[in-house]
Amino acid sequence: MNEQFKNLKVVVLAGGVGGAKMVNGLAQRITPENLFIIANTADDFEHLGLYISPDLDTLMYTLANLNNPETGWGREGESWRTLEALAELGGPTWFKLGDKDLATHLLRTQWKRSGYPLTWITAQFCRRLRIGPTLVPMTDSPVRTIVHTDQGKLSFQEYFARRQSQPIVQKIEFQGADEAESNRDISNAIRMADLIVFAPSNPWLSLDPILALPGMRRILTASQTTKIAVSPIIGGQAVKGPAAKIMSELNMEVSPFGVAHYLKDLLTGFVFDNVDDIHQERIAGLGLNTLMTDTLMKSVEDQARLAKELLAFSH
Ligand code: FO1
């Protein structure tokens, strides 16, 4: 752990896989009590009667070192016997729930039905899995991403997992965001932060739902602290998922500049990959400090290195 930065108070806005890698790197660099993670929950949905929170689970499994490094989501060493039995019975198998992962959904669903909020449930899971940093859902209220496409309006998992992000995106809506309750711990953490990180998560599907919550943009804009985003686009492509495809469908430039331009009002700095050096001047021209480095996180060592560079860049 780097003595110089370990006491910085860091807040991270994160989606699933890209967010989890960034957060895991930061967790190796700063003390757990100083790392506060706000997770997107607009991908949550009910499936087979179970309440599923994919981004929270991806973050949780990664921080607990239980994640499946191949898929990025779900648990390592998973078995699929329930899914196989479900297929035999003619049940839906397009959303793959592993046997061990099912335990998380069963217990979360049971607790939710008993009236416990998602924040409380997440805290219990984190305690049991010995996760040091604070992981919170962006809200306890239901917010759901609806993707307007050339094939009609689709719920997020219908678009993403079932149709493999094939439909052409026209607009993205966050149902329930306007009425969602804000979490006082989140606004306090943002006010106290020495650094706010926008993880290399999909800005339209993972960061925007968080930013759509009442007061969120205002609190972030008002914060005088360092605010840095890490580009999820490298060399014109998303590291994972449909970010690049969505950018082009929404007529944006598919580059780190496109991402920086989209988020610029909320940021003081931007981190992007060496391969995108041609965009450096234009990104700096947006009034942002820039860090160009190797941003692809293929290993846990890469995560820790990028986190170290990010922290050094921030102060
Ligand atoms: N993504 C898929 O593309 N297909 C799946 O079958 C799938 C199953 C799944 C199960 C548990 C979980 O926590 C995540 C799962 N994901 C799956 C990923 C999930 O749809 C995405 O990670 C996020 O919603 C996007 O950030």
Side-chain angles (χ1 to χ4, degrees):
M1 200 165 281
N2 191 313
E3 288 303 310
Q4 200 183 346
F5 303 118
K6 73 178 175 63
N7 292 322
L8 287 180
K9 291 191 185 63
V10 181
V11 169
V12 189
L13 278 65
V17 182
K21 288 181 181 177
M22 187 75 256
V23 156
N24 207 34
L26 288 165
Q28 294 170 64
R29 296 292 176 195
I30 51 180
T31 51
E33 55 275 23
N34 284 337
L35 182 55
F36 188 98
I37 305 144
I38 306 168
N40 170 39
T41 54
D43 297 3
D44 292 14
F45 75 127
E46 285 217 16
H47 185 60
L48 294 164
L50 298 174
Y51 186 94
I52 321 263
S53 278
D55 285 358
L56 271 175
D57 290 348
T58 299
L59 289 158
M60 186 171 86
Y61 292 150
T62 305
L63 284 166
N65 206 15
L66 295 171
N67 62 306
N68 178 341
E70 270 141 50
T71 50
W73 49 263
R75 292 188 57 155
E76 191 176 28
E78 190 56 282
S79 59
W80 304 94
R81 300 193 64 177
T82 311
L83 199 76
E84 285 156 21
L86 197 61
E88 278 171 11
L89 296 172
T93 54
W94 58 270
F95 198 80
K96 299 192 171 35
L97 296 174
D99 298 331
K100 289 204 268 187
D101 188 31
L102 267 168
T104 306
H105 311 308
L106 287 169
L107 192 54
R108 179 188 287 123
T109 306
Q110 157 79 9
W111 277 341
K112 273 205 71 102
R113 289 210 181 116
S114 308
Y116 293 102
L118 196 54
T119 301
W120 181 89
I121 297 169
T122 307
Q124 298 307 308
F125 284 166
C126 286
R127 193 169 58 80
R128 292 296 300 201
L129 297 177
R130 298 181 195 286
I131 293 171
T134 306
L135 173 63
V136 295
M138 63 184 199
T139 175
D140 283 322
S141 308
V143 177
R144 296 292 170 264
T145 297
I146 307 291
V147 189
H148 296 235
T149 74
D150 62 336
Q151 294 170 34
K153 281 195 216 178
L154 303 173
S155 66
F156 176 78
Q157 297 297 348
E158 177 75 33
Y159 162 77
F160 182 86
R162 192 168 195 175
R163 305 210 195 183
Q164 305 280 297
S165 312
Q166 290 302 325
I168 296 167
V169 175
Q170 294 157 345
K171 193 177 106 174
I172 301 168
E173 179 192 346
F174 306 114
Q175 230 169 47
D178 290 348
E179 305 89 54
E181 264 178 55
S182 41
N183 175 337
R184 197 173 282 276
D185 288 346
I186 292 183
S187 39
N188 284 341
I190 292 174
R191 281 196 198 96
M192 302 292 289
D194 299 311
L195 168 65
I196 299 169
V197 178
F198 295 70
S201 300
N202 186 314
W204 297 275
L205 293 174
S206 301
L207 301 181
D208 268 357
I210 306 176
L211 299 173
L213 296 174
M216 189 59 82
R217 272 183 181 271
R218 186 177 38 76
I219 302 168
L220 287 167
T221 315
S223 161
Q224 297 296 307
T225 199
T226 312
K227 294 170 269 188
I228 299 174
V230 181
S231 177
I233 301 288
I234 302 180
Q237 289 183 346
V239 177
K240 195 169 172 32
K245 180 173 176 282
I246 292 176
M247 281 183 97
S248 84
E249 288 164 0
L250 296 178
N251 295 319
M252 281 179 244
E253 179 182 312
V254 187
S255 73
F257 173 81
V259 177
H261 187 267
Y262 187 69
L263 295 172
K264 68 176 187 317
D265 294 344
L266 298 164
L267 302 179
T268 59
F270 194 73
V271 181
F272 58 104
D273 199 90
N274 289 318
V275 300
D276 288 308
D277 57 345
I278 51 162
H279 300 288
Q280 202 278 334
E281 253 178 58
R282 289 164 72 222
I283 296 172
L286 295 169
L288 300 175
N289 297 319
T290 58
L291 171 67
M292 219 167 39
T293 182
D294 181 4
T295 60
L296 200 59
M297 292 178 275
K298 280 183 268 176
S299 63
V300 176
E301 290 72 34
D302 290 339
Q303 296 166 3
R305 178 198 38 80
L306 184 60
K308 186 178 173 187
E309 289 178 338
L310 174 65
L311 292 167
F313 169 57
S314 74
H315 282 82

